[in-house]
Amino acid sequence: MSSLENKTSSTWLNSDRRRLIVQEYGIFLAFLLLVGILSVSNQFFLTPGNISNVLLQTSINGVLAIGMTFVILTRGIDLSVGSVVALAGMVSASFVTSSATAGVAGAPYPMVVALAVGILVGVGCGALVGFIVSRFSVPAFVATLGMLSAARGATLIYGGGKPVPALSPEFRWIGTGSILGIPMPVVLLAAVFLVSWWVLTRTRFGRYIYAVGGNPHAAKTSGLNVSRIRFLVYVISGALSGLAGMILSARTGSALPQAGIAYELDAIAAVVIGGTSLSGGVGRVTGTLIGALIIGVMNNGLDLMGIQSYYQQVLKGALIVGAVMLDQKRNQGV
Amino acid sequence: MQPLLKVEGLKKSFGGVAALRDGRFELSGGSVHALCGGNGAGKSTFLSILMGIHKRDGGTILHRGKPVEFGSPAEALASGIAIIEQELSPVPHMTVAENIYLGREPSARFGGIDFKTMNRNAQALLDRLEFNISAREYMMNLSVAQMQLVEIAKALSHEADVIFMDEPTSAIGEKEAQHLFQAIGRLKAEGKGIVYVSHRLSEIFQIADSYTVFRDGAFVGAGRLADIDRRGLIRMIVGRELGEEYIKTNTPTEVTGLEVAGLSAPGKIENISFSARKGEIFGIYGLMGSGRTEIFNCLFGMDRPSAGEIRLDGRTVAIRQPSDAMAEGIAFVTEDRKLTGLNLTDSVRNNICLASLPEMSPAFVMQQRREQQASADMIARFAIKAARDTMPVSGLSGGNQQKVVLGKWFLREPRVLLLDEPTRGVDVGAKREIYRIICDFAAAGGTVVMISSEIDEILGMSDRILVMRQGRSAGIYGRQETDAQSLVHLST
């Protein structure tokens, strides 16, 4: 009897450990599997040029998805990131353009000025959304849906519906330059990731975010300033959208009014694939980064296989839903 | 006479861990049977198997002498076994009748719902049970107690003859509980078998005829309540002699700790004044909605009083938000630990540290070693049973969860402890430990204000008792000069 019990308990431990491994690293294993399949099936996939290409394509969505992670951890959502990308990209571009008609008076300014302006535009949009969500208890879905429309409109008004071309080479370095052979957008994504990871895992503010998302009532009774934390996560998401907007316009060399359309969907997808719960309080920025890489690798791999982008969208949809289905099953298995 | 329900040798394991090893139970018609046991005794597993939520690993269930097996709660209900769960889940924006007949609405022409028949049937049922509830009322307008009655009516509309009630009085007041007991009495008279699950022993002795005790997943004993006393039942539940249920070790000093004068919040409380001394356990008794919790909300800055003063150690303090109250050394253990006390998705350690993060990590970066130390201290001090302090707090039993909440606040070394229903949903053994923690705190010179709707607890623990009635004070009484009857009388 006792030996039987021992046996069952040891297999249970094993299955428990197995589940823990799947839970902790499942998304990473899925990513490795995907990379493995693609590198076997296509000889170009693992070439340095292609890897750099994938990272470059992931960088903008990665930055947005990391900002989105902060918001979703507090039970919120930010639908406005794509429009803020366009607005911040365009406003900052107008400070570094050499075009006489599209620029602000005195342009081109040094890159640092444009950078500051772009981030400020993002912070401003985020602060407005955050204020509306935290003070007036407007659902984040509605407040950011409003910003999605308003920021797009503001972009069109600001640029008169036209692109801002001819950006200064200094500014374009953000999108096209490189440090030690690593493209700048990838460097920026890495920096954003490291800082975010540190904030979420090692600082008080990070813990507050998880507490507010996990149980806002308990957070409030524990003396936390819940509305200030809610406010700040939208500011962070806005600031990172501003950064992403500048990377985008610096890469393409001009700021387009229709830039960033539907970017919010890819950002949310990366967060969800990365295992962050839409009901808040659970999730990691590491997962989000891998989620963004999975989307990037998948798009790239399907491109290499010569599969039309229309099919890619269908597959991406299936991936998002599949990831959450697995997540649900995993949670029920307790 | 053939028993209504007979269960033998019921077994269930989850992932190799036995939750129920030997569940035995026998219920006869026209009786109320109490199912007793501490947290982790296997009661919930037992209920969930009978309800068809979980499949059993072994054992037999005989309903009216016939073996049964349920694949879902709907099947259990269809065969006449219903449960009134601890946490009710009505559809708030539907009427009482719609809730009762949810999924079985009588149809009218063209596939619509025959509302007239449905309302008439529902009303007839409610009237027969003398529940005094309108079938056309929206569910959200009912009190928790009334919702329970609707659940009972729903069970009867399914022709259920076995009705389980899981902690039905945990969210309702004393007077409402008495109404519920009358309803249970009527069900009994109709020949139904009621299984009553509760941690509150005085209720069990009031309404139940017989009892079954589970401990550590196995049947321990059963019998008629007339043949056992409270002490004996507790001994069976915890498996050892526990001594006095309420041990008071504190003695109030003459120094006032917390003083409240003329506290009012419109529509909630009016002109509440009391002073609790250092070393005193000051009880607040009242029905749900009598303004008990609202006093605490004002004291802790969750709510803004319109008038009144709060004095600590004779000094008037201004409290606008919880962090102000915390800075003054006030701690607030809220009524519902799952809703407002804990972050269930987070670990034991993080929950313990949640209210002390600025103190423990004055800079932006967290001091992990200090958090680890603090959490280890609290776990040792309160004997919290957790495998690791990094495990999710949701995996602990109710009693241990409550001790985590206490640990969170004791970490701040408070001077005033506000306790709102500190032992709700906690088993007999853990209750005792919580009483000891409270007494030790008061004995060391702390001020305790405790709300409880359990009369035994309030009489057993408090030095003085403030009785609340409809948002006003109905007087303050010493523990010697009052008893259960007069408390109930004063509060209604």
Side-chain angles (χ1 to χ4, degrees), chain A residues 59-70:
Chain A
S59 57
I60 289 173
N61 185 34
V63 168
L64 292 176
I66 287 170
M68 189 71 76
T69 308
F70 280 85

mmCIF file with all atom_site columns, all heavy atoms in Angstrom, chain A residues 59-70:
data_model
loop_
_atom_site.group_PDB
_atom_site.id
_atom_site.type_symbol
_atom_site.label_atom_id
_atom_site.label_alt_id
_atom_site.label_comp_id
_atom_site.label_asym_id
_atom_site.label_entity_id
_atom_site.label_seq_id
_atom_site.pdbx_PDB_ins_code
_atom_site.Cartn_x
_atom_site.Cartn_y
_atom_site.Cartn_z
_atom_site.occupancy
_atom_site.B_iso_or_equiv
_atom_site.pdbx_formal_charge
_atom_site.auth_seq_id
_atom_site.auth_comp_id
_atom_site.auth_asym_id
_atom_site.auth_atom_id
_atom_site.pdbx_PDB_model_num
ATOM 1  N N   . SER A 1 59 ? 10.953 44.678 -34.280 1.00 0.00 ? 59 SER A N   1
ATOM 2  C CA  . SER A 1 59 ? 11.286 45.710 -33.304 1.00 0.00 ? 59 SER A CA  1
ATOM 3  C C   . SER A 1 59 ? 10.126 46.647 -32.991 1.00 0.00 ? 59 SER A C   1
ATOM 4  O O   . SER A 1 59 ? 9.854  46.927 -31.810 1.00 0.00 ? 59 SER A O   1
ATOM 5  C CB  . SER A 1 59 ? 12.505 46.499 -33.773 1.00 0.00 ? 59 SER A CB  1
ATOM 6  O OG  . SER A 1 59 ? 12.249 47.050 -35.037 1.00 0.00 ? 59 SER A OG  1
ATOM 7  N N   . ILE A 1 60 ? 9.425  47.123 -34.004 1.00 0.00 ? 60 ILE A N   1
ATOM 8  C CA  . ILE A 1 60 ? 8.358  48.090 -33.740 1.00 0.00 ? 60 ILE A CA  1
ATOM 9  C C   . ILE A 1 60 ? 7.214  47.419 -32.979 1.00 0.00 ? 60 ILE A C   1
ATOM 10 O O   . ILE A 1 60 ? 6.749  47.914 -31.944 1.00 0.00 ? 60 ILE A O   1
ATOM 11 C CB  . ILE A 1 60 ? 7.864  48.718 -35.064 1.00 0.00 ? 60 ILE A CB  1
ATOM 12 C CG1 . ILE A 1 60 ? 8.958  49.650 -35.579 1.00 0.00 ? 60 ILE A CG1 1
ATOM 13 C CG2 . ILE A 1 60 ? 6.558  49.463 -34.859 1.00 0.00 ? 60 ILE A CG2 1
ATOM 14 C CD1 . ILE A 1 60 ? 8.698  50.208 -36.939 1.00 0.00 ? 60 ILE A CD1 1
ATOM 15 N N   . ASN A 1 61 ? 6.792  46.241 -33.470 1.00 0.00 ? 61 ASN A N   1
ATOM 16 C CA  . ASN A 1 61 ? 5.725  45.546 -32.754 1.00 0.00 ? 61 ASN A CA  1
ATOM 17 C C   . ASN A 1 61 ? 6.178  45.171 -31.348 1.00 0.00 ? 61 ASN A C   1
ATOM 18 O O   . ASN A 1 61 ? 5.392  45.221 -30.393 1.00 0.00 ? 61 ASN A O   1
ATOM 19 C CB  . ASN A 1 61 ? 5.299  44.303 -33.535 1.00 0.00 ? 61 ASN A CB  1
ATOM 20 C CG  . ASN A 1 61 ? 4.116  43.619 -32.894 1.00 0.00 ? 61 ASN A CG  1
ATOM 21 O OD1 . ASN A 1 61 ? 3.254  44.292 -32.322 1.00 0.00 ? 61 ASN A OD1 1
ATOM 22 N ND2 . ASN A 1 61 ? 4.084  42.308 -32.949 1.00 0.00 ? 61 ASN A ND2 1
ATOM 23 N N   . GLY A 1 62 ? 7.439  44.821 -31.197 1.00 0.00 ? 62 GLY A N   1
ATOM 24 C CA  . GLY A 1 62 ? 7.951  44.449 -29.876 1.00 0.00 ? 62 GLY A CA  1
ATOM 25 C C   . GLY A 1 62 ? 7.843  45.602 -28.890 1.00 0.00 ? 62 GLY A C   1
ATOM 26 O O   . GLY A 1 62 ? 7.383  45.433 -27.752 1.00 0.00 ? 62 GLY A O   1
ATOM 27 N N   . VAL A 1 63 ? 8.253  46.793 -29.337 1.00 0.00 ? 63 VAL A N   1
ATOM 28 C CA  . VAL A 1 63 ? 8.190  47.965 -28.451 1.00 0.00 ? 63 VAL A CA  1
ATOM 29 C C   . VAL A 1 63 ? 6.735  48.248 -28.059 1.00 0.00 ? 63 VAL A C   1
ATOM 30 O O   . VAL A 1 63 ? 6.413  48.480 -26.885 1.00 0.00 ? 63 VAL A O   1
ATOM 31 C CB  . VAL A 1 63 ? 8.822  49.190 -29.145 1.00 0.00 ? 63 VAL A CB  1
ATOM 32 C CG1 . VAL A 1 63 ? 8.515  50.463 -28.368 1.00 0.00 ? 63 VAL A CG1 1
ATOM 33 C CG2 . VAL A 1 63 ? 10.315 48.999 -29.287 1.00 0.00 ? 63 VAL A CG2 1
ATOM 34 N N   . LEU A 1 64 ? 5.840  48.190 -29.047 1.00 0.00 ? 64 LEU A N   1
ATOM 35 C CA  . LEU A 1 64 ? 4.414  48.446 -28.765 1.00 0.00 ? 64 LEU A CA  1
ATOM 36 C C   . LEU A 1 64 ? 3.857  47.385 -27.814 1.00 0.00 ? 64 LEU A C   1
ATOM 37 O O   . LEU A 1 64 ? 3.100  47.690 -26.883 1.00 0.00 ? 64 LEU A O   1
ATOM 38 C CB  . LEU A 1 64 ? 3.610  48.435 -30.060 1.00 0.00 ? 64 LEU A CB  1
ATOM 39 C CG  . LEU A 1 64 ? 3.871  49.590 -31.033 1.00 0.00 ? 64 LEU A CG  1
ATOM 40 C CD1 . LEU A 1 64 ? 3.064  49.381 -32.300 1.00 0.00 ? 64 LEU A CD1 1
ATOM 41 C CD2 . LEU A 1 64 ? 3.533  50.923 -30.392 1.00 0.00 ? 64 LEU A CD2 1
ATOM 42 N N   . ALA A 1 65 ? 4.230  46.129 -28.058 1.00 0.00 ? 65 ALA A N   1
ATOM 43 C CA  . ALA A 1 65 ? 3.674  45.031 -27.258 1.00 0.00 ? 65 ALA A CA  1
ATOM 44 C C   . ALA A 1 65 ? 4.152  45.114 -25.814 1.00 0.00 ? 65 ALA A C   1
ATOM 45 O O   . ALA A 1 65 ? 3.416  44.764 -24.888 1.00 0.00 ? 65 ALA A O   1
ATOM 46 C CB  . ALA A 1 65 ? 4.061  43.682 -27.879 1.00 0.00 ? 65 ALA A CB  1
ATOM 47 N N   . ILE A 1 66 ? 5.370  45.602 -25.614 1.00 0.00 ? 66 ILE A N   1
ATOM 48 C CA  . ILE A 1 66 ? 5.863  45.733 -24.243 1.00 0.00 ? 66 ILE A CA  1
ATOM 49 C C   . ILE A 1 66 ? 5.046  46.798 -23.495 1.00 0.00 ? 66 ILE A C   1
ATOM 50 O O   . ILE A 1 66 ? 4.626  46.602 -22.356 1.00 0.00 ? 66 ILE A O   1
ATOM 51 C CB  . ILE A 1 66 ? 7.369  46.059 -24.245 1.00 0.00 ? 66 ILE A CB  1
ATOM 52 C CG1 . ILE A 1 66 ? 8.148  44.799 -24.654 1.00 0.00 ? 66 ILE A CG1 1
ATOM 53 C CG2 . ILE A 1 66 ? 7.826  46.537 -22.870 1.00 0.00 ? 66 ILE A CG2 1
ATOM 54 C CD1 . ILE A 1 66 ? 9.613  45.025 -24.929 1.00 0.00 ? 66 ILE A CD1 1
ATOM 55 N N   . GLY A 1 67 ? 4.777  47.917 -24.175 1.00 0.00 ? 67 GLY A N   1
ATOM 56 C CA  . GLY A 1 67 ? 3.913  48.936 -23.565 1.00 0.00 ? 67 GLY A CA  1
ATOM 57 C C   . GLY A 1 67 ? 2.527  48.367 -23.277 1.00 0.00 ? 67 GLY A C   1
ATOM 58 O O   . GLY A 1 67 ? 1.942  48.592 -22.216 1.00 0.00 ? 67 GLY A O   1
ATOM 59 N N   . MET A 1 68 ? 2.029  47.582 -24.235 1.00 0.00 ? 68 MET A N   1
ATOM 60 C CA  . MET A 1 68 ? 0.710  46.961 -24.089 1.00 0.00 ? 68 MET A CA  1
ATOM 61 C C   . MET A 1 68 ? 0.695  46.013 -22.881 1.00 0.00 ? 68 MET A C   1
ATOM 62 O O   . MET A 1 68 ? -0.322 45.884 -22.201 1.00 0.00 ? 68 MET A O   1
ATOM 63 C CB  . MET A 1 68 ? 0.380  46.194 -25.369 1.00 0.00 ? 68 MET A CB  1
ATOM 64 C CG  . MET A 1 68 ? -1.024 45.666 -25.464 1.00 0.00 ? 68 MET A CG  1
ATOM 65 S SD  . MET A 1 68 ? -2.246 46.973 -25.700 1.00 0.00 ? 68 MET A SD  1
ATOM 66 C CE  . MET A 1 68 ? -2.006 47.365 -27.425 1.00 0.00 ? 68 MET A CE  1
ATOM 67 N N   . THR A 1 69 ? 1.804  45.358 -22.621 1.00 0.00 ? 69 THR A N   1
ATOM 68 C CA  . THR A 1 69 ? 1.877  44.432 -21.485 1.00 0.00 ? 69 THR A CA  1
ATOM 69 C C   . THR A 1 69 ? 1.609  45.158 -20.169 1.00 0.00 ? 69 THR A C   1
ATOM 70 O O   . THR A 1 69 ? 0.859  44.678 -19.319 1.00 0.00 ? 69 THR A O   1
ATOM 71 C CB  . THR A 1 69 ? 3.268  43.759 -21.434 1.00 0.00 ? 69 THR A CB  1
ATOM 72 O OG1 . THR A 1 69 ? 3.546  43.199 -22.710 1.00 0.00 ? 69 THR A OG1 1
ATOM 73 C CG2 . THR A 1 69 ? 3.301  42.665 -20.384 1.00 0.00 ? 69 THR A CG2 1
ATOM 74 N N   . PHE A 1 70 ? 2.210  46.328 -20.017 1.00 0.00 ? 70 PHE A N   1
ATOM 75 C CA  . PHE A 1 70 ? 1.971  47.112 -18.799 1.00 0.00 ? 70 PHE A CA  1
ATOM 76 C C   . PHE A 1 70 ? 0.466  47.370 -18.623 1.00 0.00 ? 70 PHE A C   1
ATOM 77 O O   . PHE A 1 70 ? -0.083 47.217 -17.539 1.00 0.00 ? 70 PHE A O   1
ATOM 78 C CB  . PHE A 1 70 ? 2.690  48.470 -18.877 1.00 0.00 ? 70 PHE A CB  1
ATOM 79 C CG  . PHE A 1 70 ? 4.154  48.416 -18.554 1.00 0.00 ? 70 PHE A CG  1
ATOM 80 C CD1 . PHE A 1 70 ? 5.084  48.092 -19.525 1.00 0.00 ? 70 PHE A CD1 1
ATOM 81 C CD2 . PHE A 1 70 ? 4.596  48.690 -17.272 1.00 0.00 ? 70 PHE A CD2 1
ATOM 82 C CE1 . PHE A 1 70 ? 6.438  48.042 -19.234 1.00 0.00 ? 70 PHE A CE1 1
ATOM 83 C CE2 . PHE A 1 70 ? 5.954  48.644 -16.958 1.00 0.00 ? 70 PHE A CE2 1
ATOM 84 C CZ  . PHE A 1 70 ? 6.873  48.317 -17.942 1.00 0.00 ? 70 PHE A CZ  1
#
